[in-house]
Structures are given as structure tokens and as C-alpha cells.
Amino acid sequence: MFDAMLDGWKAQMLARGLTTQTIEGRCGTLRRFQVFGGKFPWTWQAVDLDDYMAERRSGAKPISLNTLRSDSNAIAMFCSYVSSPTYGWIEFCEKTFGDVPAQISFEWNTPRHTTDDAVPPGRRAFTQKELQSIFDYMDDLVDREHAAGSKRWLPALRDSIAFKLCYAYGLRRREVSMLDVHDFGPNPHVPAYGEFGAVTIRWAKGTAGSGPRRRTVLTVPEFEWVVDLLKFWIHEGGRGLFPTAERSAALWPSERADRITLGSLGDSFAAARDAVGLPKELGLHCLRHSYITHLIEAGYDPAFVQTQAGHAYASVTSVYTSVGDDFKQKTIQKMIARRIARPEEARTDG
């Protein structure tokens, strides 16, 4: 009976598009849990999960907190499956064993999600002054290298624009590095931004086993200066200067390959950070922290910021609610109207 339950759960996960590796890993967790307690799902109780997790953390080789979360999530998902009336296991077990499977994983006996953990002090947002120092340094570097006749000016220009775009859309390192030129498109509600009213993120962070997610990030008035940067980079002789640009649609070609690597972009940012004397714990990802923080400070609704950032959990940036396209468009229209009414408050180019 237990094997039949696992087979049914496997079929459900396959239907959801999860990878074979993820499915086998989760089923392995359930088998270890069953062997540990010697019980079956229709007799499992919350105390059984408590004992199992305690043993996993206090044994000769304690597992990490991430592994503990993963095991807990797998058990919770399996219990949700077998205790759902949809699949008929409750009725069958009651008739056969006189007992029924139930959920045994609750908020009070499972590890918190990673997004509930405190953000390390170093992974904070940059101040406006710190950001300006990095961007100014990169601009000056491009000028110096170009004036000296060095070939390094073009990669420096690429990285400078990539950093600014990363900040202007709140992107993760992988998200920005995997962009293609055709990922940008118009926002019909804001025609002034032309073909750069929104960007589709095809490589957003997904949940374990689900692969990358997609989301659309709208260009907002606070960062509308990025439109001119994109026009220059894509159409006015920026990207096209790379000899590898014609080989692919990658937004950021490298000197020899079709696309820059994650490591090269991070190393370039670290070099700029060190050059201006900022703390070493402030990495490229902190530009994403800055985007979220500065939008909130500018008066954007937290729920709108959540959808822009693609956060799956409300606890990441405070208490958020799900919003639709209409809400997103109204939010942008309000910010545009505010800037038109009070142009003196418009921000300058970062």
C-alpha cells in the first residue's frame, strides 16, 4: 500500500513537470522516514516527524538546515497528497485499516523557510551615494581605457551598462546575464518608453525541481533613464561592436564567447566595489536589494514591488498580497502622473 501511494505521488509530480532527480530524492526521503519510525502514512503523527527531525539533526553526522527544510517539505507534500479527498486514499485506508492518513507537518514543528531568515548585515541595499560612486567609477574607467587605446574599454562599457540595468530592474545575477535582445518589449500603457517598456525574465529563480520561472518586469518612472541606455546599447553601436554579437541574441556578448559568464560579471562588479572602497560583503546581488528598497522609499506599494521582484513569499519584503496586471498598470500611471505634476522631484540618471 505504501508503494502504491508513492507511485501515485510520483505520477502527480511528473504531471507537474518536476525532474526525475527531484522526484526520486523526495521519495527517498519518504522511505527513510517510514523505515525510521516503522509506521505507515495512515498511522503517522506529528510526534513521529519531531523524532525523525531531531534524530537527523543530532546524529553522528547532523544534516544541514537546508536539508532539514527539504526533508520536511517532502514529507509535508506527501501528506497533503495522501490526505486529499481527490485521490481516494482516505476512504480506502479507513475501510482497510480503520485509520486515515493526515497532515503531520505544521508551522510549529518544521523549519522556517529560508526567506524567513534574517538577511545578513552585509547583504543590504546600497545607498544612493554608494551607487553613484560605483557607476561613476565604471564610467570613468570606460573613458580612461578608451583614451589609452586599450581594448578593455568595450568590456568595461558592457559591464557598466549591465550593472545599471541590474539595478533598474532589480535582477538577480543569472537573470541579467541570460537576457537576450528580444526579451524587451513595449508597455502599451506607457508608450513613451517605446520598445523598452518591459522586460521578460526567462531565467528567474524557481522552486526546487521546477526549473526557472518567468516573469515580466515593467520599466518604472524612477528608473526610466535605463530606456536611453538600452537604446544606445542595442541600436547605437554598443553591443554591435563585439565581434561575437552576430552569433547569438545574447544581450551581453563576451570577447570570445556568445555570452558573458556569471563569474565574470560578478568579478567585474567586485573590482569596481573594491576600487571605490566599499565593504567586500556588498556584491552584485545587493543591487537587487537596492532596487526593492528604493522603490519602497519612493512610495511604491509593497505588493507592486513584490510582483516586480518575483518574490514567491510575502515575508521576503514584508506582508504582500497578490496583484494583477490592472493594479500594476495603475501603479505606474500614478507614479508618472506624480512626476508630471511635480517635475522638480524627478530623479537624475544613476
Side-chain angles (χ1 to χ4, degrees):
M1 178 60 65
F2 182 53
D3 287 342
M5 287 178 168
L6 286 178
D7 288 341
W9 191 39
K10 287 181 182 178
Q12 184 204 56
M13 289 188 286
L14 285 170
R16 292 169 51 204
L18 273 64
T19 64
T20 302
Q21 181 179 7
T22 297
I23 293 172
E24 292 302 323
R26 290 177 177 177
C27 289
T29 297
L30 267 297
R31 291 192 182 280
R32 287 191 295 272
F33 178 52
Q34 189 277 321
V35 170
F36 173 83
K39 299 180 180 179
F40 292 100
W42 48 93
T43 62
W44 287 349
Q45 296 178 317
V47 66
D48 298 321
L49 180 60
D50 296 347
D51 292 342
Y52 178 69
M53 292 301 179
E55 175 65 22
R56 295 276 280 161
R57 285 286 282 177
S58 62
K61 295 182 178 181
I63 62 174
S64 68
L65 189 57
N66 284 338
T67 302
L68 192 72
R69 289 191 186 99
S70 178
D71 287 0
S72 175
N73 288 340
I75 294 170
M77 287 184 284
F78 176 77
C79 288
S80 294
Y81 165 73
V82 294
S83 62
S84 170
T86 304
Y87 297 101
W89 294 113
I90 294 178
E91 182 180 1
F92 188 88
C93 288
E94 186 175 19
K95 291 180 179 179
T96 306
F97 306 110
D99 207 343
V100 297
Q103 181 60 261
I104 62 172
S105 179
F106 305 99
E107 182 179 357
W108 43 265
N109 71 339
T110 55
R112 296 186 306 167
H113 192 273
T114 52
T115 53
D116 293 330
D117 294 338
V119 176
R123 298 189 66 182
R124 59 168 174 82
F126 289 101
T127 65
Q128 295 286 357
K129 184 177 180 179
E130 290 171 336
L131 280 174
Q132 197 65 54
S133 68
I134 291 178
F135 294 157
D136 286 347
Y137 170 81
M138 291 301 299
D139 291 342
D140 292 342
L141 177 63
V142 173
D143 292 340
R144 290 197 307 270
E145 296 290 356
H146 188 272
S150 171
K151 295 181 179 180
R152 291 192 294 269
W153 78 271
L154 187 55
L157 174 65
R158 175 201 61 203
D159 295 350
S160 173
I161 296 177
F163 298 156
K164 293 172 184 176
L165 185 138
C166 190
Y167 170 53
Y169 289 106
L171 303 183
R172 300 177 178 93
R173 185 173 59 170
R174 179 173 177 80
E175 293 172 350
V176 71
S177 66
M178 294 301 293
L179 284 174
D180 288 344
V181 293
H182 51 66
D183 288 334
F184 296 90
N187 180 348
H189 299 274
V190 191
Y193 296 158
E195 62 182 298
F196 301 111
V199 57
T200 298
I201 308 302
R202 296 174 292 107
W203 291 87
K205 184 179 180 181
T207 57
S210 66
R213 293 184 297 171
R214 295 170 67 98
R215 76 176 188 278
T216 297
V217 183
L218 303 179
T219 305
V220 298
E222 287 295 316
F223 301 102
E224 62 186 7
W225 45 262
V226 77
V227 172
D228 288 336
L229 283 178
L230 286 167
K231 288 179 180 177
F232 164 77
W233 179 248
I234 295 177
H235 299 307
E236 300 174 12
R239 176 184 176 275
L241 295 178
F242 279 88
T244 58
E246 296 182 356
R247 295 181 355 199
S248 76
L251 184 63
W252 316 110
S254 75
E255 298 88 319
R256 297 180 179 84
D258 295 350
R259 188 185 304 272
I260 58 173
T261 64
L262 296 179
S264 65
L265 196 61
D267 291 344
S268 177
F269 186 84
R273 175 206 61 209
D274 293 343
V276 298
L278 293 178
K280 292 186 178 297
E281 60 266 24
L282 296 177
L284 186 61
H285 191 75
C286 291
L287 292 176
R288 178 171 164 85
H289 287 272
S290 304
Y291 172 81
I292 294 170
T293 300
H294 296 162
L295 282 188
I296 294 295
E297 290 176 349
Y300 283 80
D301 191 291
F304 172 75
V305 179
Q306 181 193 6
T307 60
Q308 288 282 96
H311 285 151
Y313 295 90
S315 57
V316 177
T317 49
S318 151
V319 179
Y320 291 137
T321 57
S322 179
V323 300
D325 290 339
D326 288 343
F327 178 89
K328 293 171 71 176
Q329 301 300 344
K330 288 180 181 179
T331 300
I332 284 193
Q333 293 293 347
K334 288 179 181 178
M335 297 306 295
I336 292 175
R338 182 182 301 178
R339 287 168 64 89
I340 292 174
R342 291 178 287 183
E344 70 278 3
E345 295 184 5
R347 303 227 174 187
T348 58
D349 188 336

